[in-house]
Amino acid sequence: MLTIGDVLRRSTDHLAARGAEQPRLHAERLLAHALAMERVELYMHLDRPLAPAELDAARALLARRAQGEPLQYVLGEWGFRRLTLRVDRRALIPRPETETVVERCLALLAGSDAPRVLDVGTGSGAIALAIADELSAARVTAIDVSEEALGLARENAARTGIAVELIQHDLFAGLPGNGWDLVVANPPYVRDEELATLDAGVVDWEPGLALVERGHTEALAREAVRALRPGGALVLETHEGAAPRVAALLEAHGYAGVVVTRDLAGRDRVVEGRAPAA
Ligand SMILES: C[S@@+](CC[C@H](N)C(=O)[O-])C[C@H]1O[C@@H](n2cnc3c(N)ncnc32)[C@H](O)[C@@H]1O
């Protein structure tokens, strides 16, 4: 009978042979998930044999990862700030740099009394749910053009028990409502010509609608200046290297106090500005 130690070793070798990144770590996460254990527990039970059903479950997860499916989709859930969200092919996998976007929103909203927040292109609901979770006074609305993504965001709202308003809406039709205290977005920002250079795990598995830039950032700068209350904040995640261009775009639209923030990896990834006073 194969033990936990055997399966870990074989899975790591299998993933490494398929060119997967961090094969040992991924093998650990997959096996821990199949056995409903923490990763550290695997090492406390290396000699424990796997029952046939456990082995089947571990093999099924490993096969998906070995075929290139992102680890997060195979596991079906992923951490974002304080939350564990359901993730699948309906929406982008929430990224660490987007946690910095939430950080800036919380800093800008600190001290506000029941601020109204609009998350544009909510995907899994990550930004909207994290803000509502960490700032319970906030009233958060989230939009997405994708019904599939909204379905996932609804499941995440139900799973976390956090109340946010979710609406299907196309940014290019303008932003809903007005007088928002804060508008936030992690918009699609990959250019068509860049797609070929991206990791296959991204291009082949994550929704194209979430990735490919079609003038979203410009539309957000243009529309949010109308939809925000005077002095309200726009917070945008940007492509690596694009922060100076996005900062200039906000200034050209009349935003004041334009600031660029680095993510935890030290890359300029978040741009914010305040709508001009009326
Ligand atoms: C980069 S993903 C961000 C998802 C999520 N906010 C996050 O940070 O993980 C961009 C999202 O914008 C949505 N989107 C694309 N075009 C849109 C449009 N015209 N109007 C509204 N949402 C749009 C996509 O469906 C996708 O969910």
Side-chain angles (χ1 to χ4, degrees), residues 92 94 98 121-123 127 144-146 169-172 186 188 209-210 216:
L92 193 90
T98 309
T122 197
I127 295 174
D144 205 293
V145 74
S146 159
H169 186 92
D170 185 348
L171 153 69
F172 294 113
N186 171 19
L209 197 57
H216 295 80

Side-chain angles (χ1 to χ4, degrees), residues 19-275:
E21 61 181 35
Q22 299 180 292
R24 180 72 183 190
L25 175 65
H26 286 205
E28 289 169 0
R29 294 210 55 160
L30 293 168
L31 185 56
H33 189 75
L35 301 179
M37 282 181 170
E38 297 296 328
R39 262 171 63 216
V40 66
E41 288 179 79
L42 300 174
Y43 289 94
M44 293 157 66
H45 303 282
L46 283 173
D47 294 329
R48 157 149 120 56
L50 266 69
E54 290 175 332
L55 197 54
D56 287 348
R59 280 194 175 126
L61 296 179
L62 181 69
R64 288 172 61 189
R65 181 69 197 103
Q67 281 161 18
E69 185 170 350
L71 177 71
Q72 295 90 333
Y73 287 161
V74 177
L75 298 177
E77 59 181 26
W78 199 244
F80 184 78
R81 302 250 346 157
R82 304 194 310 199
L83 305 173
T84 300
L85 299 175
R86 179 168 171 73
V87 293
D88 61 34
R89 294 190 73 177
R90 288 174 288 176
L92 193 90
I93 297 161
R95 304 290 206 275
E97 52 269 29
T98 309
E99 301 200 11
T100 304
V101 172
V102 172
E103 193 74 47
R104 286 310 307 149
C105 294
L106 295 171
L108 288 161
L109 293 170
S112 308
D113 185 21
R116 292 176 60 238
V117 175
L118 178 65
D119 173 23
V120 181
T122 197
S124 63
I127 295 174
L129 292 167
I131 292 174
D133 176 44
E134 295 182 50
L135 189 67
S136 56
R139 288 168 293 159
V140 184
T141 298
I143 65 169
D144 205 293
V145 74
S146 159
E147 252 311 334
E148 290 76 27
L150 281 174
L152 181 60
R154 274 188 210 104
E155 288 173 23
N156 277 322
R159 170 190 181 124
T160 56
I162 297 169
V164 294
E165 183 183 30
L166 294 160
I167 304 172
Q168 187 186 24
H169 186 92
D170 185 348
L171 153 69
F172 294 113
L175 293 178
N178 51 46
W180 298 102
D181 294 289
L182 185 139
V183 173
V184 56
N186 171 19
Y189 48 61
V190 178
R191 293 186 306 276
D192 278 317
E193 62 271 23
E194 259 182 288
L195 277 174
T197 68
L198 292 186
D199 196 272
V202 176
V203 184
D204 295 347
W205 292 90
E206 297 195 79
L209 197 57
L211 300 173
V212 183
E213 151 75 13
R214 297 273 179 252
H216 295 80
T217 298
E218 281 81 357
L220 279 156
R222 186 177 64 240
E223 297 299 336
V225 84
R226 281 198 282 266
L228 286 164
R229 68 162 171 77
L234 173 63
V235 181
L236 295 176
E237 181 168 323
T238 72
H239 204 353
E240 203 171 345
R245 183 180 63 73
V246 174
L249 176 75
L250 295 201
E251 280 166 355
H253 279 277
Y255 289 85
V258 174
V259 171
V260 175
T261 303
R262 290 186 173 164
D263 65 12
L264 291 175
R267 302 164 304 182
D268 287 340
R269 295 301 294 272
V270 188
V271 180
E272 69 197 48
R274 289 195 176 271

